[in-house]
Amino acid sequence: MTGICIGLDIGTSNMTAYVEGKGIVFSRPSAIACDTHTGRILAVGEDAFAMTGRTPGSVTVIRPFSEGVVSDMKITVAMLSQFIDEVCRLTVLKPNIIAGVPGEITGVERNAILDVLKSAGASRVCIMEHPYAAAVGADVAFTKPYGTMLIDIGGGTVDISVVSMNSVAAVRTLRFGSEALTQDIIKYLRRERDIEVGYLTAEDIKKTIGGAVVRNEEIALVAKGRNAVTGSPINFEVTSTEVYWAIKEHIDMILTGVKEILSSISPELSADIFESGIVLTGKGSLLYGIDSFLESSTGVQVRIAKEPWLCVAKGLGKSMHNIRKLKKSGYGFEYFNEL
Ligand SMILES: Nc1ncnc2c1ncn2[C@@H]1O[C@H](COP(=O)(O)OP(=O)(O)OP(=O)(O)O)[C@@H](O)[C@H]1O
Ligand SMILES: [Mg+2]
């Protein structure tokens, strides 16, 4: 006997769960707030994330994943246990979990994910890379020998891949994601404007006026910060053009990754992609103009998938019904204990 099946997209920024028979049940920040002295968990998910930068010295907000992989085992187990308990409230048996991981991870990183899921209460685990899950979740037809490129822009990683013949034909994982753009904004304001801002303010600036292209009409935002010289709180205006320049280096690095993959694959796959286009997934693909920037820089048509932030979790969910067939693509469950 086995428990329910959960598709778990364990993201650097967000954790999203798909439960068999129910669909997506939550998508919430990968964050946990703990008492600094006792280690007691005070909050997880949204509540913990909202405390970022606002905690007293006795509380720490921890983001237990970095670059898409486990950076703090103990905290990750605590956070996952809480999420899994919530999903499995009414069931006795331990769940089977299909977990999404970055396209390129080391054996050590893969084992760390298996270990934390086992400790958090999983009975069986199947590890599936983001590119495969995103392709299934974005409804990309890739059973035939015909290539399509996907770019999953997450918080801690950018997975650039080519899928064909029901598998991942090429993949490159860039070890930075949209969170690096938020850090770019913090550094830019400190360096060029002598202004200090918190992480949540910089996130807001990125989402509201950030962009991968210069806007035809510049827009601006008034935000709260601190004068780095005097230490006084200030309201300041920042423009979309400033943010464009602040994040440009990382945007260009994504383009370089795409060009490298395009030039490393076979001419046949490359020709397919020029016809089939590029599909963007991950919440980072909501950045203004990222699709038009990549399209004009590569000459390949780019489209953003529907609900791009849910594609990986949906793909994990759809795959759970197909797990026998997936054996041919190299996916299967690893067993721990049934109860
Ligand atoms: N409207 C928006 N514009 C730009 N970026 C956004 C927007 N909304 C969310 N983001 C960014 O998307 C990132 C989170 O994306 P996502 O949830 O896909 O990441 P993840 O799956 O947790 O990370 P990873 O797959 O890298 O481990 C965050 O850095 C967030 O700031
Ligand atoms: Mg992701």
Side-chain angles (χ1 to χ4, degrees):
M1 272 211 293
T2 57
I4 58 167
C5 210
I6 305 171
L8 203 56
D9 177 10
I10 309 172
T12 311
S13 303
N14 295 294
M15 180 86 63
T16 307
Y18 181 112
V19 173
E20 71 175 304
K22 289 190 182 160
I24 303 285
V25 292
F26 66 69
S27 183
R28 58 178 59 149
S30 303
I32 183 161
C34 297
D35 184 302
T36 319
H37 306 299
T38 63
R40 194 167 67 87
I41 298 169
L42 303 172
V44 291
E46 287 89 356
D47 293 344
F49 188 63
M51 292 180 194
T52 308
R54 294 202 167 94
T55 54
S58 57
V59 178
T60 335
V61 176
I62 301 168
R63 314 284 308 283
F65 297 98
S66 159
E67 300 172 353
V69 292
V70 178
S71 64
D72 186 323
M73 297 284 273
K74 205 170 136 223
I75 293 293
T76 307
V77 171
M79 189 178 79
L80 285 173
S81 305
Q82 183 124 346
F83 288 155
I84 291 172
D85 285 354
E86 201 178 307
V87 172
C88 301
R89 245 190 334 242
L90 301 174
T91 61
V92 181
L93 298 167
K94 290 186 171 188
N96 305 307
I97 294 182
I98 306 190
V101 299
E104 283 184 310
I105 55 169
T106 65
V108 172
E109 290 165 341
R110 189 178 191 281
N111 288 339
I113 290 179
L114 285 172
D115 280 352
V116 292
L117 285 168
K118 180 182 176 184
S119 304
S123 164
R124 305 186 300 168
V125 174
C126 167
I127 298 274
M128 182 174 280
E129 296 84 12
H130 290 158
Y132 190 97
V136 175
D139 290 325
V140 171
F142 67 110
T143 50
K144 303 222 162 76
Y146 182 72
T148 302
M149 178 176 271
L150 285 119
I151 309 175
D152 184 86
I153 307 178
T157 57
V158 178
D159 273 304
I160 308 168
S161 62
V162 178
V163 291
S164 169
M165 293 179 70
N166 218 16
S167 60
V168 179
V171 64
R172 173 151 316 168
T173 300
L174 308 181
R175 293 291 182 127
F176 69 86
S178 184
E179 291 190 2
L181 309 182
T182 306
Q183 295 295 350
D184 287 342
I185 295 169
I186 295 174
K187 286 183 204 150
Y188 164 83
L189 289 170
R190 180 72 186 78
R191 191 180 63 237
E192 304 293 331
R193 304 268 309 263
D194 277 335
I195 295 169
E196 288 172 349
V197 292
Y199 187 83
L200 296 184
T201 303
E203 270 278 299
D204 193 36
I205 293 172
K206 175 183 76 179
K207 291 180 190 171
T208 317
I209 61 167
V213 293
V214 177
R215 297 181 194 237
N216 290 338
E217 279 191 31
E218 187 176 77
I219 55 172
L221 179 85
V222 175
K224 287 188 170 68
R226 181 169 61 198
N227 183 312
V229 181
T230 64
S232 322
I234 47 161
N235 285 334
F236 66 96
E237 192 178 271
V238 55
T239 67
S240 51
T241 312
E242 287 179 276
V243 181
Y244 162 81
W245 285 110
I247 65 175
K248 187 166 175 23
E249 199 174 327
H250 276 117
I251 299 295
D252 286 344
M253 283 162 76
I254 298 177
L255 175 63
T256 304
V258 173
K259 286 186 172 166
E260 278 172 9
I261 284 240
L262 280 174
S263 58
S264 71
I265 55 179
S266 69
E268 287 79 5
L269 280 176
S270 180
D272 291 347
I273 290 164
F274 272 87
E275 206 175 68
S276 61
I278 298 175
V279 180
L280 300 187
T281 64
K283 211 164 193 175
S285 65
L286 297 181
L287 180 74
Y288 177 85
I290 186 73
D291 48 346
S292 53
F293 167 75
L294 290 170
E295 187 163 307
S296 60
S297 314
T298 59
V300 182
Q301 224 177 30
V302 178
R303 73 173 173 91
I304 302 174
K306 191 177 155 216
E307 298 181 312
W309 60 94
L310 298 180
C311 287
V312 168
K314 280 185 184 166
L316 298 170
K318 284 187 191 172
S319 301
M320 66 179 67
H321 304 294
N322 240 344
I323 204 79
R324 281 209 183 85
K325 271 199 202 156
L326 286 174
K327 277 217 166 107
K328 281 192 202 142
S329 307
Y331 300 112
F333 276 111
E334 313 213 6
Y335 289 76
F336 303 134
N337 37 10
E338 291 294 332
L339 270 173

